[in-house]
Amino acid sequence: MKVTVVSRSGRELVKGGLELNDSASVADLQEAIYKRTKKFYPSRQRLTLPLPPGSKDRPIVLNYKKSLKDYCDGNSDNITVVFKDLGPQVSYRTLFFWEYLGPLILYPVFYFFPVYQYFGYKGERVIHPVQTYALCYWCFHYFKRIMETFFVHRFSHATSPLSNVFRNCAYYWTFGSYIAYYLNHPLYTPVSDLQMKIGFGFGLICQVANFYCHILLRNLRTPDGSGGYQIPRGFLFNIVTCANYTTEIYQWLGFTIATQTVAGYAFLVVAAMIMTNWALAKHRRLKKLFDGKDGRPKYPRRWVILPPFL
Amino acid sequence: MAGVFSLLRRLYLTLYNWTVFVGWAQVLFLAVRTLKESGHEHVYNSVEKPLLLAQTAAVLEILHGLVGLVRSPITATLPQIGSRLYVTWGILYSFPEIRTHFLVSSLVISWSITEIIRYSFFGTKEALGFAPSWLMWLRYSTFFLLYPTGISSEVGLIYFALPYIKKSEKYCVRMPNTWNFSFDYFYAAILVLGVYVPGSPHMYSYMLGQRKKALSKSKRE
C-alpha cells in the first residue's frame, strides 16, 4: 500500500510517499520513514490519522505494534499519516538515572566536606546523630529509586524528550542541594529524640510499602515492554488508585518530621502537587479505559491519591 | 439573572479602572510638578501616597483573573504585578536611602504614563463596550519606549539599593532556629535581578504578540 506522510502544516515529509507491504506494521512504517529522513528515528515520530479541519477531537495516535491495515478504514491501498517530531528522545531509564544521581551525590558533599566555610561559617562543626541518620535515609532512598529504575519499573513509553533531562535534573538537583544545605548546617537544630524516631520509623515503613507497590505495578505488565494499562489490585491499590504516590508522599513526610526543615516541607508540598497531577491523570485514564462497556471491567470506586482528601 | 451579573461586572470594572486611573494621574501630575519645582530628590515624597495606593490596588487584578471577571491570563499579570509590588514596597518603601535617586523620577513617570493609558483603555472598554482606535494604538505602542525605561529604572533602583539592603539586615532570618530556615534579603534581591534577564524579553515579546493580535483584529473589524 502507499503511505503518504505529511507534517501538521500539510507539507509532504517524504516526497512521493512510501511503498509498504499490505501486512506492514506501524513499526515498519516508522523504520521506513527513518530510512528516508535519516534524522527522525522511530521514537521521535508521533504518527496520527489526519483529522478533518476544525475538528475538536484528539487525533488517533498510531500504535507501533499494530498493523497499518487496522488504521485504513476500508481503502487499504492508500493511507495518509500526519507526522510530528517529538524532538530528541532519551530512554526513561537514562532520564531517571541522571535525575536521581544528583541528590545521591550532592547531599553527601554537604555532610562530608567542609563546604560551610565558603558560606562564612568558620570553625568546627558538631554532627548530631539525626544528621547521620538523615544522610543514610536520604542516600538509601535515592539508591532504591535507581535500583527500581533498572530492575523493577516497566514503562508505558520507552522514551521521554531530551529537554526533560534538563528540567527534571534542575528540579531534583536544586531541591536536593537546598535541603542538604540546611540539614547539614553547622547551626542545625535537631528535634526531640521521640519525634525523630517516629519520623524515620514511619518513613521507612512507607518506603517498604512503596517498594511493594512498585512490585505490584510491575506485575501488571509483561516483560516485553508492551506497556498498556491494567486495573491495579491488591494491598493499598484496593482503596487508592495511585498508592505508589501515596506511600512516596508519606515517606517524605516521615523524613521531614524527623529532620524539620522549611526546605524539606517546601519539597514535600511541591512533590505532592506534582504527584497529585499525575495521579489525577492516571485515575481519569483508567476510568475512561475501564468503563464497563463491551465486556471491559468497570473501574471500581477508589480514592485517587490521598484519602480522605482526594 | 445572567444579565444582571454582566451589568454589575461592567459597572464594577468601570468604577475600578477609572478610580485607579485617577490615582496614577495624580502620581504623574505630582511627579512632573515636583521635578520642575524642587528637583528629583523630592519626587518620591510627593507621590508616595497615591503611588502606594494605586500600585497596591493592582492586587485586585490578580483576583479578577482568578475568579474569571477578566480574561487576562494569570501567567502574564502575576510577574508584572509581582515586580511592581516588589520595587514599590520591597525597595522604595523599605529603604528610604534610595528614594532620592534620580531613577525614581524615570520610574514613576514611566509607570504612571503606562498605567494612565492602560486604565483609561480598559475603563472605556468596560463603560462603552469599545475603545477608540487612537487609545488602542497608544496602549499597544507606548510600551516600545516605556517598557525599556521602566525596566531599566526598576533594575537600576534594585541594584543601587543593594548596599543599603546588605547593611540593614532587614527581612533577614538567621540560623539557628527550630525550623532550620534562613532567608537573606540581599541574595534574594540579586536573584530577582537575575530573573529580570529572561523575564524582560519574555514580557516584551508578550506585549508584541498582544499588539499584533489587537491591531490586526481592529483592522479586520
Side-chain angles (χ1 to χ4, degrees), chain A residues 168-221:
Chain A
N168 292 11
C169 284
Y171 168 74
Y172 276 103
W173 295 25
T174 307
F175 256 123
S177 308
Y178 187 51
I179 293 172
Y181 172 82
Y182 285 107
L183 248 166
N184 297 293
H185 202 280
L187 298 176
Y188 175 80
T189 310
V191 296
S192 74
D193 222 46
L194 179 65
Q195 185 173 331
M196 176 192 81
K197 289 187 174 127
I198 291 177
F200 282 137
F202 178 63
L204 277 168
I205 292 172
C206 292
Q207 285 212 68
V208 174
N210 175 263
F211 178 71
Y212 187 51
C213 287
H214 287 156
I215 297 287
L216 284 173
L217 285 174
R218 165 198 172 84
N219 291 333
L220 292 177
R221 287 190 174 142

Side-chain angles (χ1 to χ4, degrees), chain A residues 238-250:
Chain A
N238 289 332
I239 38 170
V240 101
T241 297
C242 292
N244 50 320
Y245 296 149
T246 313
T247 47
E248 178 69 12
I249 293 171
Y250 282 130

